[in-house]
């Protein structure tokens, strides 16, 4: 038997059938559902008189539209009537089709990509989908996880399957050890800076190497979360003992009788010695520094000790044009040192960086310091109700509040500004989210992507600063 | 889904690479629970000078005269010509819904983001990948005083110019079949109910924890 990649193994174990031109029907083990991309799918089911194929394979929670301010009154506290309708529609659909849902006031509610792993609802070896591109996150568990559109949401609901073609396999190895203060976020931004936002298009990416196996599971979730920003629908990491330890005891994890059998299976979830990838990229982890994006695409990224690049130095005309447009939108001059860029707001949260380790890293920086006077708002939005409770048990909420941060309820929040949390036109934000697209955090808003520690450091300094240099 | 038939349409040139789904349809419009009516808000932040919100009367909003969609030459365009990595970002199907609702049935680019590319086919839009050189040539033709019109023939897999020159393109056989016949994927998959059930039975014995 020839050596297989992890992707081969994940793919092959889910093929229901393949037709003559290579199009496969693959089985989906876990379908995560949120309020934005599901209403039209449920409506489609209803119109066709169809029922969900296997309700227990689904798990829903509202996240994009929920307010992060006081909301103990439930859905009725959502001020925007259209947002409220969307959350109510999710509740109604889950009720009527019998789909398990963590509703807005459930302590387990949160960002769907934080909730899945936290509950053990996304497990090694699974296929995981959601009508959300950041579903790649769950690949950190050694799962094949990818985002789908609403037509496919309906397809999975109705058939528990998807029609897919196998992608090509890429391995990205980050060798060596990263320096202290360099996080999973910096690693993935550095990768995107290297291969570009289309570098992974058509590929499923396996992240490997010393710097990746050194990451905690939460770090790997951050890493895989942004595989889509490199163009890859799916990114994943092989299962190791950290993965198994992480899963053990979680509510949806296998019970005692199945545990040993599951673990035996999970230990095979790695690429075999000698497995061949369509493409391999090797990076030196020890050379990676804290990263800051300067433009309107995640590939427009530099290290904290660098300056905003000059389009004049770019040979490709289309690319140079894109850089000029980005500089204009961002209100930046080429050549400005990154550390000179001053911020208006800071956002710590999102499916990329809102887990307990992210909050601990930010709190460590915030502890005993104050948010700079010039910062209008510094938000900390935990990824789930359980993350929030854990942080509060550790006293992190007090650290943040004492330092001048706002401590909020869980949700997607200012990552995409579908709720009330957003930037005003022209405002500049240090954000731990995943996309710095034009208007992403509010029309005219300017986003710089960074790690949680770097965001907290920027909040304290009022401008970007290498977290290691903070007084 | 409607069958994809041969047609001739005006080409609107959007000269940007990495056009993301937030630009195609900004998030404030994703709150709708319907799948139609997104066309007036396609490229909202580039197309209008004011800040767009759901429920506005779009016909009264100030248009950005510098945005290509507002150029009189390209009114009624059915084909969008753009640069690499079109549709990157979110998986929101609202992006192809907005393009389709506006009237675009063909998008031509040197490359597309995977999820968006896939979503197009589910909504009767044909995304066509052509090499950079041809895209460049089409951009120069589309920029002339007289708008460029192309004819798309999916059955024969080519675009043709008014002088008869044809530009061949590749398309996946299964997706072509579905588009040409207006087929519903779910209906096709449900023809394989027995295979799905057989898979489930086998998988359940191998990996019972997945069905607990």
């Amino acid at each position: 038997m020839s050596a297989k990649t992890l992707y081969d193994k994940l793919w092959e174990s889910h093929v229901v059938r393949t037709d003559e031109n290579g199009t496969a029907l693959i089985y989906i083990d876990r379908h995560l559902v949120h309020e934005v991309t599901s209403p039209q799918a449920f409506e489609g089911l209803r119109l066709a008189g169809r029922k969900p194929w296997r309700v227990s394979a689904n798990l829903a929670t509202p996240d994009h539209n929920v307010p992060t301010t006081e909301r103990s009154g439930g859905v009725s506290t959502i001020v925007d009537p259209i947002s409220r309708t969307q959350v109510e529609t999710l509740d109604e659909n889950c009720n009527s089709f019998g789909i398990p849902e963590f509703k807005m006031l459930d302590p387990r509610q949160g960002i769907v990509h934080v909730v899945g792993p936290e509950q053990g609802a996304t497990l090694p070896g699974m296929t995981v989908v959601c009508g959300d591109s950041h579903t790649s996150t769950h690949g950190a568990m050694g799962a094949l996880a990818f985002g789908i559109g609403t037509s496919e949401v309906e397809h999975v609901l109705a058939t528990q399957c998807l029609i897919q073609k196998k992608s090509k396999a890429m391995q990205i190895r980050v060798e060596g050890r990263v320096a202290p203060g360099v996080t999973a976020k910096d690693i993935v931004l550095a990768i995107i800076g290297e291969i570009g936002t289309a570098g992974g298009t058509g590929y499923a990416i396996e992240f490997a190497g010393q710097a990746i196996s050194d990451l905690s599971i939460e770090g790997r979730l951050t890493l895989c979360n942004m595989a889509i920003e490199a163009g890859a629908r799916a990114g994943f990491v092989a299962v190791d003992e950290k993965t198994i330890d992480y899963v053990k005891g979680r509510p949806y994890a296998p019970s005692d009788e199945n545990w040993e059998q599951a673990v035996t299976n999970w230990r095979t979830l790695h690429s075999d010695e000698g497995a061949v990838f369509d493409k391999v990229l090797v990076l030196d982890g020890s050379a990676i520094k804290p990263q800051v994006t300067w433009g309107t695409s995640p590939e427009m990224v530099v290290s904290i000790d660098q300056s905003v690049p000059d389009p004049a130095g770019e040979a490709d005309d289309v690319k140079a044009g894109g850089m000029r447009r980005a500089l204009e939108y961002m209100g930046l001059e080429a050549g400005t040192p990154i550390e000179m860029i001053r911020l208006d707001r800071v956002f710590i949260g999102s499916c990329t960086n809102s887990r307990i380790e992210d909050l601990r890293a930010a709190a460590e920086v915030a502890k005993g310091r104050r948010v700079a006077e010039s910062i209008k708002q510094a938000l900390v939005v935990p990824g789930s109700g359980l993350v929030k409770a854990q942080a509060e048990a550790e006293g992190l909420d007090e650290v943040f509040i004492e330092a001048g941060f706002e401590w909020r309820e869980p949700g997607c929040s200012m990552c995409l500004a579908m709720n009330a949390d957003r930037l005003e036109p022209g405002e500049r934000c240090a954000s731990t989210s995943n996309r710095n697209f034009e208007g992403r955090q509010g029309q005219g808003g300017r986003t710089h992507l960074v790690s949680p520690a770097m965001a907290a450091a920027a909040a304290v300094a009022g401008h970007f600063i290498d977290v290691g240099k903070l007084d | 889904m409607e069958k994809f038939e041969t047609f001739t349409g005006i080409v609107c040139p959007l000269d940007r690479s990495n056009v993301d789904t937030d630009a195609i349809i900004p998030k404030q419009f994703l709150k709708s629970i319907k799948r139609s009516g997104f066309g007036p808000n396609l490229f909202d932040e580039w197309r209008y000078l004011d800040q767009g919100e759901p429920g506005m009367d779009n016909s009264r909003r100030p248009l950005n005269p510098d945005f290509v969609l507002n150029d009189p030459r390209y009114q009624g365009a059915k084909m969008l010509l753009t640069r690499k990595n079109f549709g990157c970002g979110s998986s929101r199907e609202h992006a192809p819904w907005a393009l389709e609702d506006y009237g675009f049935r063909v998008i031509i680019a040197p490359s597309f983001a995977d999820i968006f590319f896939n979503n197009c086919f589910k909504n009767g839009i044909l995304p066509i990948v052509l090499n950079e050189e041809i895209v460049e040539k089409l951009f120069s033709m589309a920029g002339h005083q007289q708008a460029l019109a192309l004819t798309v023939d999916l059955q024969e897999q080519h675009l043709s110019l008014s002088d008869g020159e044809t530009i061949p393109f590749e398309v996946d056989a299964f997706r072509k079949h579905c588009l040409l016949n207006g087929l519903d994927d779910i209906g096709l998959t449900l023809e394989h109910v027995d295979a799905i059930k057989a898979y489930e039975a086998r998988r359940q014995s191998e990996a019972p924890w997945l069905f607990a």
Side-chain angles (χ1 to χ4, degrees):
Chain A
M1 211 171 64
S2 61
K4 289 178 177 173
T5 64
L6 172 54
Y7 180 54
D8 292 330
K9 294 179 186 181
L10 292 169
W11 176 267
E12 287 167 13
S13 60
H14 289 89
V15 173
V16 172
R17 66 182 296 278
T18 309
D19 70 14
E20 58 280 7
N21 66 35
T23 304
L25 195 61
I26 68 161
Y27 192 81
I28 302 303
D29 296 313
R30 178 66 69 201
H31 179 211
L32 301 166
V33 180
H34 65 67
E35 78 278 19
V36 180
T37 53
S38 66
Q40 298 86 351
F42 283 112
E43 185 62 16
L45 275 193
R46 225 174 250 122
L47 290 172
R50 291 172 176 140
K51 286 194 158 34
W53 181 276
R54 182 154 81 89
V55 287
S56 64
N58 299 279
L59 180 62
T61 191
D63 54 9
H64 285 58
N65 282 281
V66 299
T68 59
T69 45
E70 208 290 316
R71 63 188 199 196
S72 55
V75 181
S76 64
T77 57
I78 305 178
V79 178
D80 177 352
I82 320 179
S83 284
R84 190 168 63 237
T85 300
Q86 212 164 43
V87 175
E88 284 168 349
T89 305
L90 179 68
D91 289 354
E92 284 162 19
N93 283 325
C94 289
N95 288 343
S96 74
F97 288 105
I99 288 176
E101 183 196 7
F102 298 157
K103 293 191 167 60
M104 210 174 106
L105 293 183
D106 190 307
R108 300 167 294 178
Q109 177 272 341
I111 306 173
V112 74
H113 307 308
V114 174
V115 169
E118 181 175 79
Q119 289 293 318
T122 48
L123 295 171
M126 274 185 166
T127 41
V128 179
V129 299
C130 175
D132 193 295
S133 59
H134 291 112
T135 309
S136 59
T137 308
H138 307 270
M141 310 305 302
L144 177 59
F146 54 92
I148 56 178
T150 298
S151 296
E152 289 182 315
V153 170
E154 185 181 339
H155 196 283
V156 175
L157 282 168
T159 69
Q160 209 54 47
C161 291
L162 280 176
I163 300 169
Q164 296 284 301
K165 269 209 161 167
K166 197 176 175 189
S167 303
K168 290 177 282 183
M170 186 190 300
Q171 185 192 46
I172 297 183
R173 283 206 309 274
V174 186
E175 304 284 19
R177 294 205 136 91
V178 297
V182 173
T183 67
K185 183 67 162 284
D186 303 302
I187 295 174
V188 72
L189 284 172
I191 290 170
I192 296 163
E194 183 77 22
I195 70 173
T197 50
T201 303
Y203 290 92
I205 298 178
E206 179 176 349
F207 297 101
Q210 179 79 53
I212 305 302
S213 48
D214 281 352
L215 290 174
S216 67
I217 296 302
E218 294 200 358
R220 295 177 195 176
L221 289 163
T222 300
L223 174 80
C224 293
N225 173 273
M226 290 189 70
I228 185 64
E229 305 326 323
R233 286 181 84 170
F236 37 79
V237 178
V239 171
D240 61 12
E241 292 310 307
K242 284 183 195 173
T243 326
I244 293 165
D245 290 345
Y246 178 91
V247 172
K248 197 170 174 112
R250 293 187 183 266
Y252 284 67
S255 57
D256 292 344
E257 54 188 306
N258 287 328
W259 178 256
E260 288 307 322
Q261 191 186 358
V263 168
T264 305
N265 174 292
W266 295 345
R267 290 211 167 101
T268 66
L269 296 174
H270 53 78
S271 290
D272 296 332
E273 189 89 21
V276 180
F277 293 86
D278 297 292
K279 194 171 182 177
V280 176
L281 180 78
V282 182
L283 265 76
D284 174 9
S286 67
I288 299 173
K289 293 178 179 161
Q291 303 285 299
V292 182
T293 64
W294 57 268
T296 52
S297 163
E299 70 186 23
M300 294 173 166
V301 64
V302 291
S303 300
I304 180 66
D305 58 354
Q306 291 179 296
S307 300
V308 176
D310 191 343
E314 174 57 54
D316 178 340
D317 282 349
V318 175
K319 209 167 171 185
M323 288 172 74
R324 269 188 283 273
R325 192 150 40 222
L327 288 179
E328 195 190 329
Y329 181 86
M330 294 296 289
L332 290 172
E333 296 282 336
T336 308
I338 294 295
E339 293 200 326
M340 297 277 285
I341 299 174
R342 303 196 64 84
L343 286 316
D344 301 303
R345 293 185 199 245
V346 173
F347 172 61
I348 297 172
S350 87
C351 57
T352 313
N353 281 128
S354 64
R355 298 176 184 82
I356 191 67
E357 291 176 15
D358 298 317
L359 302 189
R360 286 177 191 146
E364 195 180 312
V365 175
K367 194 174 174 82
R369 297 192 171 101
R370 287 288 307 170
V371 171
E373 287 292 331
S374 57
I375 300 287
K376 293 179 198 167
Q377 183 182 47
L379 279 183
V380 185
V381 184
S384 72
L386 297 180
V387 169
K388 181 169 186 262
Q390 176 65 32
E392 289 174 353
E394 296 177 20
L396 305 186
D397 56 328
E398 285 168 22
V399 170
F400 286 122
I401 292 165
E402 275 167 28
F405 288 83
E406 294 176 32
W407 178 245
R408 295 290 189 91
E409 298 295 326
C412 297
S413 183
M414 207 194 274
C415 172
L416 85 170
M418 273 189 78
N419 71 353
D421 309 334
R422 65 185 65 181
L423 300 180
E424 294 299 321
E427 283 185 342
R428 190 180 297 287
C429 182
S431 177
T432 66
S433 54
N434 39 59
R435 289 190 177 132
N436 50 351
F437 297 156
E438 285 185 27
R440 172 83 178 177
Q441 294 191 289
Q443 193 178 27
R446 295 160 171 168
T447 303
H448 296 269
L449 305 176
V450 288
S451 73
M454 287 289 288
V460 168
H463 56 85
F464 287 115
I465 185 167
D466 189 331
V467 60
K469 286 206 254 169
L470 213 58
D471 295 329
Chain B
M1 202 167 70
E2 250 177 79
K3 289 182 184 178
F4 191 97
E5 316 237 359
T6 295
F7 72 90
T8 302
I10 291 172
V11 178
C12 176
L14 178 64
D15 195 0
R16 296 184 186 224
S17 48
N18 296 315
V19 172
D20 60 73
T21 51
D22 280 84
I24 297 171
I25 183 82
K27 66 264 162 186
Q28 61 269 35
F29 304 107
L30 309 188
K31 295 177 185 179
S32 169
I33 56 170
K34 299 193 169 66
R35 63 196 305 160
S36 57
F38 294 100
N41 300 110
L42 175 68
F43 301 120
D44 197 275
E45 291 184 11
W46 293 340
R47 190 165 154 196
Y48 301 98
L49 293 170
D50 63 346
Q51 191 162 339
E53 289 297 334
M56 288 170 100
D57 179 356
N58 293 295
S59 66
R60 303 172 74 100
R61 295 174 58 197
L63 296 173
N64 174 5
D66 298 330
F67 186 56
V68 70
L69 228 58
N70 296 326
D71 187 316
R73 281 177 292 177
Y74 307 121
Q75 298 313 299
K78 283 189 155 57
M79 300 193 193
L80 185 68
L81 174 68
T82 183
R83 300 286 184 180
K84 73 176 175 64
N85 200 27
F86 186 80
C88 60
S90 153
S91 69
R92 64 186 68 156
E93 204 155 311
H94 311 67
W97 293 339
L99 288 157
E100 196 270 346
D101 196 54
Y102 181 86
F104 287 119
R105 299 298 304 278
V106 166
I107 306 171
I108 303 165
S111 62
F112 291 89
D114 283 342
I115 304 178
F116 174 83
F117 186 76
N118 197 37
N119 283 342
C120 282
F121 288 98
K122 315 278 182 196
N123 293 283
I125 297 175
L126 174 64
I128 297 176
V129 177
L130 295 177
N131 72 39
E132 301 258 10
E133 217 170 296
I134 298 174
V135 167
E136 193 59 55
K137 180 181 153 191
L138 291 175
F139 262 105
S140 96
M141 295 171 79
H144 292 163
Q145 200 68 37
Q146 173 83 42
L148 170 68
L150 294 173
T151 303
V152 59
D153 185 333
L154 176 56
Q155 182 62 50
E156 296 301 320
Q157 294 185 210
H158 62 64
L159 292 165
S160 49
L161 284 80
S162 56
D163 65 1
E165 185 190 340
T166 61
I167 303 166
F169 60 82
E170 295 291 321
V171 59
D172 175 77
F174 174 74
R175 286 166 161 162
K176 173 180 171 180
H177 173 73
C178 290
L179 267 188
L180 283 173
N181 297 291
L183 296 178
D184 160 25
D185 277 3
I186 297 177
L188 289 174
T189 296
L190 288 174
E191 289 173 11
H192 303 294
V193 163
D194 292 346
I196 302 171
K197 288 187 172 161
Y199 173 88
E200 279 183 327
R202 176 163 57 82
R203 188 73 172 155
Q204 191 157 8
S205 66
E206 289 166 4
W209 64 90
L210 292 172
F211 294 82

